[in-house]
Amino acid sequence: MTDQGLEVVNDYINMMEVSPVYWSVMMLHPEFRKAHLEHKSSAIFFFSPPQSIPVSFCMAEQGIFGLKRKRQGQASERSQHQPKKQKKLSHPARPPPSFWDNLSEIPLTKSALHELDRRNRNSAHPVTRRVTAELLARRVPICLKRFARQGGPDLSHLRGYDEPAFGHGMSSNQSSLGRLKRGSTSTSKTPSTKTSGTKTSGTKTTGTKTMGTKMTKSTGPYDRAFLQHLIDFKIYPSGYEYPDGRIPPEPKNIEEIERVLAQPRPSLSPSRFSREDFRKFQRADAHAAKERQVTTSVIPIIEGDVGDSKCIAGEIPFTNLDHLTDGSLVPGNPDRYYGARPEQLDQRVRQKLGGRIIPSTQHDLPIVQNFFLAVKGPDGSSAVAQRQAIYDVTLGQRGMLDTLSYGESEPVYDKKAYAIACTYHAGMLKMYTSHAIPPTSPEARPEYVTTQVGAYALTGNYDACRQGIAAYRNGRDWAKQQRDKAIEQANRRVTSTGTGAPLPDDDPALSFARVSGSSHGCGRPSRSALSSSFNDPDTSTDELAPDPGLQFKRHKGLGGFQKQRGTKRL
């Protein structure tokens, strides 16, 4: 069979499978249909077709097969240029065994006990209470059993010893019977146990419960072992001290952040936020018995006008972000987070930094997130909220540093904070920030230090409520400024060079973000940046405005602004 014959046979097979249009056209001719029925199982039919078949049908055959080959070529070309689907990162639902094996110190938590039970079940010789009891029963002498049945040793000489309710002459069987008869009226009745999986006393617990005992809410994955794991990977909580007694440094821009948080807002002036509004806030917080109620009724009062609703999301696991440690932690999941619209950042930057700045595989959600909120109900744990805030703010700080470092040959470690995380629990608002410390060697990891920058008792009094809400909104607006500046810098780098190479030193895009050691870093923003960053009706032009005596002077060749107050340079 010639090569041409093989090609015709292949075309026939493909036609039978994927070209019903061609088949229906050719079957319209009676001679072709008759020849096909006679020779459908033989390939000779294609080499000597009936002479009575018009040439138009042969032309139709060539046209249809040519069109099909053309479409196949286009499809293969599209498949070559189409980007491969990004593989979704796997985050464990609970800490894996490697999480516990790598801990420097294992605290006594429910998660640790569950892991011990799991390992005992999988072990060939688990150490359980039943096995221990059986071993003791075999080895305890009979004389010791008799001694115990007769009442055991005399403990009356011990301080605090209570005499038993039954007499010394009563046997053990009689005393047990007496206790059973008096069980319904005795004041020292032992609480009975009940196995259930329902909620009691407004808290979530599972397994064996003791009736009449207040149960505490499970901390979930954010327990003390979670915090110890973060510390082992050089992610330190607020107030941390090194083993040698040293204290981690504060961020270089902490004074700027504190000054921004303390600025008043006209939207919270007494004429616009009265004492009656404060009392409504108090009642809303008092009536919120669950975390969901706090999120829906209390938090909106604190947030006010959020501006662009497409820049806010929440309760979405950060499954698309790269692991912060060794892959054994659950994904971050704040109740609220603020970021930028995806279209604000150049697509080439998004493709390169996707695992650091795009939190979810749903790519229309906010990106480059750097403001977070963790909410707990009245029965929740403030310590759990703080651990969540440490985790979230570190993820945000890492993403901001990667965005600022885009196009740089080395990562930017300027020891400044660019992200804020807040916690709200029982009327108390706390705010934290994070900054990175450069690694001491190329193989070492950078250190992330969390610093508390504010704490406000919103339900305490009228003035404290106004100050706390103003700090929250000011911090949110400040985070947006840092985010927009980092995005603008990355966009200018990628558009000016085409490959994301660093810009010249005198380029104005580097005015607000410089590498470590520069004196022209992310200081106070310019007036134009301030006026463009606050367009929502909740913010006026005098909010977060620069000091009236503060002037900005442009110096050529320095690529940044220098601040002056009169003749004194700050």
Side-chain angles (χ1 to χ4, degrees):
M1 184 180 295
T2 63
D3 295 339
Q4 184 179 5
L6 288 174
E7 182 178 0
V8 175
V9 172
N10 292 331
D11 289 343
Y12 174 75
I13 295 174
N14 294 332
M15 177 269 295
M16 291 291 292
E17 295 179 353
V18 296
S19 184
V21 177
Y22 168 78
W23 179 248
S24 59
V25 171
M26 297 301 293
M27 287 297 292
L28 291 177
H29 196 278
E31 295 294 334
F32 181 88
R33 184 167 59 251
K34 178 180 178 182
H36 169 69
L37 294 176
E38 294 177 357
H39 307 284
K40 61 182 180 179
S41 60
S42 175
I44 301 177
F45 164 71
F46 292 99
F47 309 132
S48 58
Q51 299 297 327
S52 57
I53 298 180
V55 180
S56 58
F57 280 92
C58 298
M59 297 297 294
E61 174 188 359
Q62 295 178 1
I64 292 176
F65 275 121
L67 179 61
K68 189 184 75 168
R69 294 193 189 99
K70 183 178 179 180
R71 289 177 178 175
Q72 290 178 348
Q74 293 176 352
S76 61
E77 185 178 356
R78 285 195 304 268
S79 63
Q80 294 177 358
H81 295 284
Q82 187 175 4
K84 295 182 179 180
K85 187 176 180 182
Q86 184 179 3
K87 186 177 180 181
K88 187 176 180 181
L89 294 175
S90 61
H91 290 78
R94 59 182 58 87
S98 60
F99 173 86
W100 304 101
D101 296 337
N102 297 329
L103 277 182
S104 59
E105 180 181 356
I106 301 179
L108 182 59
T109 61
K110 289 185 178 180
S111 300
L113 294 177
H114 290 325
E115 176 65 16
L116 178 61
D117 292 340
R118 187 195 64 81
R119 298 190 180 193
N120 285 338
R121 288 193 301 267
N122 298 334
S123 176
H125 302 286
V127 179
T128 61
R129 293 182 179 180
R130 174 176 297 180
V131 174
T132 305
E134 292 178 355
L135 292 176
L136 291 176
R138 296 174 186 173
R139 300 178 182 178
V140 172
I142 298 178
C143 61
L144 183 59
K145 294 181 181 179
R146 293 176 180 175
F147 180 70
R149 281 199 300 265
Q150 295 175 359
D154 184 11
L155 305 178
S156 59
H157 64 284
L158 298 178
R159 181 181 300 176
Y161 174 73
D162 294 331
E163 289 290 341
F166 52 89
H168 292 282
M170 185 181 298
S171 64
S172 60
N173 294 335
Q174 292 174 341
S175 62
S176 301
L177 182 60
R179 285 196 300 269
L180 290 175
K181 290 182 179 180
R182 295 191 302 269
S184 59
T185 58
S186 175
T187 58
S188 60
K189 178 182 176 181
T190 303
S192 60
T193 59
K194 179 181 178 181
T195 301
S196 174
T198 60
K199 297 180 180 180
T200 61
S201 303
T203 57
K204 295 186 293 184
T205 54
T206 57
T208 303
K209 298 180 180 179
T210 303
M211 304 302 294
T213 303
K214 185 177 180 180
M215 306 299 294
T216 58
K217 184 176 181 179
S218 174
T219 59
Y222 304 102
D223 54 9
R224 287 180 293 162
F226 178 89
L227 181 60
Q228 184 62 49
H229 178 85
L230 294 180
I231 295 175
D232 291 342
F233 282 86
K234 300 183 179 181
I235 302 172
Y236 305 129
S238 179
Y240 176 78
E241 292 185 7
Y242 291 107
D244 57 1
R246 293 182 297 114
I247 300 176
E250 293 180 332
K252 285 186 175 181
N253 57 345
I254 187 173
E255 294 182 358
E256 171 198 346
I257 297 174
E258 292 175 346
R259 184 169 58 250
V260 168
L261 298 181
Q263 291 182 359
R265 297 176 72 97
S267 59
L268 295 171
S269 62
S271 60
R272 299 178 60 180
F273 188 83
S274 62
R275 288 188 173 273
E276 182 59 29
D277 295 327
F278 168 65
R279 296 187 63 185
K280 290 180 180 178
F281 175 79
Q282 282 183 318
R283 291 195 297 269
D285 182 80
H287 296 164
K290 300 293 182 181
E291 181 177 313
R292 171 61 61 178
Q293 294 174 328
V294 177
T295 305
T296 56
S297 62
V298 179
I299 300 303
I301 301 176
I302 300 176
E303 290 184 325
D305 188 354
V306 298
D308 190 357
S309 61
K310 289 188 175 294
C311 293
I312 179 175
E315 299 182 354
I316 298 175
F318 290 169
T319 55
N320 195 58
L321 293 182
D322 294 340
H323 296 293
L324 189 60
T325 57
D326 60 353
S328 61
L329 294 182
V330 297
N333 189 7
D335 296 286
R336 287 277 200 282
Y337 76 89
Y338 288 79
R341 288 194 179 195
E343 59 268 22
Q344 289 182 244
L345 187 61
D346 191 277
Q347 186 176 3
R348 288 166 288 185
V349 184
R350 280 183 279 159
Q351 291 177 351
K352 186 174 182 180
L353 303 180
R356 299 300 183 97
I357 62 175
I358 302 178
S360 173
T361 53
Q362 185 177 341
H363 287 214
D364 58 340
L365 294 175
I367 63 174
V368 199
Q369 59 287 343
N370 67 335
F371 189 83
F372 310 89
L373 174 65
V375 180
K376 293 300 174 184
D379 296 326
S381 172
S382 178
V384 172
Q386 181 183 1
R387 294 162 193 157
Q388 287 182 261
I390 296 171
Y391 191 27
D392 296 335
V393 75
T394 306
L395 289 172
Q397 178 71 9
R398 184 187 65 173
M400 286 292 297
L401 291 181
D402 287 339
T403 307
L404 291 170
S405 303
Y406 184 81
E408 294 282 355
S409 58
E410 296 291 337
V412 172
Y413 292 115
D414 54 4
K415 299 181 181 180
K416 292 184 178 180
Y418 298 101
I420 291 179
C422 306
T423 64
Y424 184 83
H425 173 245
M428 178 63 68
L429 174 69
K430 295 184 179 181
M431 305 182 69
Y432 303 88
T433 188
S434 175
H435 69 284
I437 300 177
T440 56
S441 63
E443 297 80 12
R445 300 172 58 92
E447 299 180 2
Y448 288 92
V449 182
T450 306
T451 305
Q452 181 174 327
V453 293
Y456 310 89
L458 301 188
T459 56
N461 56 68
Y462 176 60
D463 292 334
C465 181
R466 292 171 54 212
Q467 293 174 4
I469 295 178
Y472 180 90
R473 298 178 185 179
N474 289 339
R476 180 184 61 193
D477 296 341
W478 176 86
K480 182 180 184 301
Q481 289 180 1
Q482 309 306 314
R483 184 171 62 243
D484 292 344
K485 281 187 262 185
I487 291 175
E488 181 182 2
Q489 174 181 296
N491 288 339
R492 288 192 179 186
R493 284 177 175 171
V494 73
T495 55
S496 61
T497 62
T499 58
L503 291 177
D505 290 340
D506 57 349
D507 195 286
L510 299 181
S511 301
F512 295 104
R514 303 294 296 175
V515 295
S516 179
S518 174
S519 61
H520 315 290
C522 294
R524 295 178 63 85
S526 64
R527 297 179 186 272
S528 59
L530 286 165
S531 60
S532 62
S533 299
F534 305 100
N535 297 323
D536 57 282
D538 184 57
T539 308
S540 61
T541 55
D542 63 337
E543 297 185 52
L544 292 181
D547 193 337
L550 192 62
Q551 299 178 358
F552 293 86
K553 183 177 180 181
R554 178 76 179 190
H555 292 262
K556 296 182 180 180
L558 294 177
F561 290 98
Q562 287 186 347
K563 304 175 185 178
Q564 290 186 348
R565 188 186 302 273
T567 59
K568 182 180 179 181
R569 183 174 299 175
L570 299 180

